[in-house]
Amino acid sequence: ITCPGVLLKDKQELYLSVFVLGQYKKTQCVPAAFPLFFQEKLVFEKAFANIVDPGDLVKLLEFDTAVLELIQLVPPVGKVLATYEENTRDFLFPDPKLTHGHRGLEREILMKRSPFFT
């Protein structure tokens, strides 16, 4: 995660929380210095037992929301510094112009900063 020219006043570590397909996962913590590097893979699996038509799956994914949050471990509960929300279909299968390299392996997204991230 990049944020050119920004220094965090709080020095507690940060992590990325991800909520996709009804499942929540988070990364390991990293030091509070940009750029942030999360060197791990988060795997989300879901079986859609009653879906037969791919069009129905597309509709289902459009109604689901993927949420990413950049969180700093500032007591007592941590501070959300930035968020990203998008329907799960567009998150998992982005428009080709937004990808670099191999489709789906590398993405650029713009997170919305929270009021805590000045």
Side-chain angles (χ1 to χ4, degrees), residues 40-58:
E40 50 189 301
K41 184 187 289 189
L42 302 177
V43 178
F44 296 84
E45 293 183 25
K46 182 160 182 133
F48 297 94
N50 298 325
I51 301 291
V52 189
D53 183 354
D56 292 340
L57 179 58
V58 168

Side-chain angles (χ1 to χ4, degrees), residues 50-88:
N50 298 325
I51 301 291
V52 189
D53 183 354
D56 292 340
L57 179 58
V58 168
K59 289 177 190 171
L60 188 72
L61 293 176
E62 287 173 345
F63 286 109
D64 190 61
T65 303
V67 179
L68 285 74
E69 294 179 320
L70 179 61
I71 300 173
Q72 190 169 27
L73 296 173
V74 178
V77 293
K79 276 201 273 190
V80 175
L81 300 182
T83 60
Y84 174 80
E85 288 187 36
E86 186 171 29
N87 77 64
T88 301

Side-chain angles (χ1 to χ4, degrees), residues 4 10 20 22 26-27 35 50 68-69 75 85 94 101 106 108-109:
D10 293 316
V20 167
K26 66 181 189 175
T27 65
N50 298 325
L68 285 74
E69 294 179 320
E85 288 187 36
E106 190 173 319
E108 245 182 71
I109 62 172

Side-chain angles (χ1 to χ4, degrees), residues 99-118:
T99 61
H100 302 283
H102 301 291
R103 183 173 176 89
L105 294 180
E106 190 173 319
R107 293 273 309 280
E108 245 182 71
I109 62 172
L110 180 62
M111 297 182 86
K112 181 180 177 182
R113 73 175 178 87
S114 75
F116 298 109
F117 190 23
T118 55

